[in-house]
Amino acid sequence: VVVAVQQDSTTKAPVELKDLPEAVTKTLQSDPVKAWIPTAAFLVTNADKTSYYLINVKKEQETGSLKIDKDGKIIE
């Protein structure tokens, strides 16, 4: 079952952390990102068909999110 949230023709679909592409997983295991623990992941597809992975992360009491493209590059 795939659930996608529609927002301005941008879709956000949940992805199991174990199903992330290898390049994304490697980025999550590299410095300085590896200090953060991934808690959830989503594949975001924009109206122009570009896509990236939005990874929710946590470090102690802090939370944040990372945008990582399919090649493992962090998007600012």
Side-chain angles (χ1 to χ4, degrees), residues 27-49:
T27 299
L28 291 172
Q29 294 169 348
S30 66
D31 287 320
V33 182
K34 69 180 179 186
W36 293 81
I37 298 165
T39 57
F42 301 90
L43 175 60
V44 179
T45 305
N46 299 311
D48 63 2
K49 302 295 181 215

Side-chain angles (χ1 to χ4, degrees), residues 12-24:
K12 183 177 175 184
V15 177
E16 292 287 330
L17 293 169
K18 65 179 176 42
D19 295 333
L20 289 170
E22 186 177 344
V24 174

Side-chain angles (χ1 to χ4, degrees), residues 38-65:
T39 57
F42 301 90
L43 175 60
V44 179
T45 305
N46 299 311
D48 63 2
K49 302 295 181 215
T50 58
S51 63
Y52 61 88
Y53 291 90
L54 178 69
I55 316 292
N56 291 341
V57 292
K58 182 177 178 186
K59 179 168 66 171
E60 296 169 13
Q61 300 306 312
E62 291 180 81
T63 58
S65 62

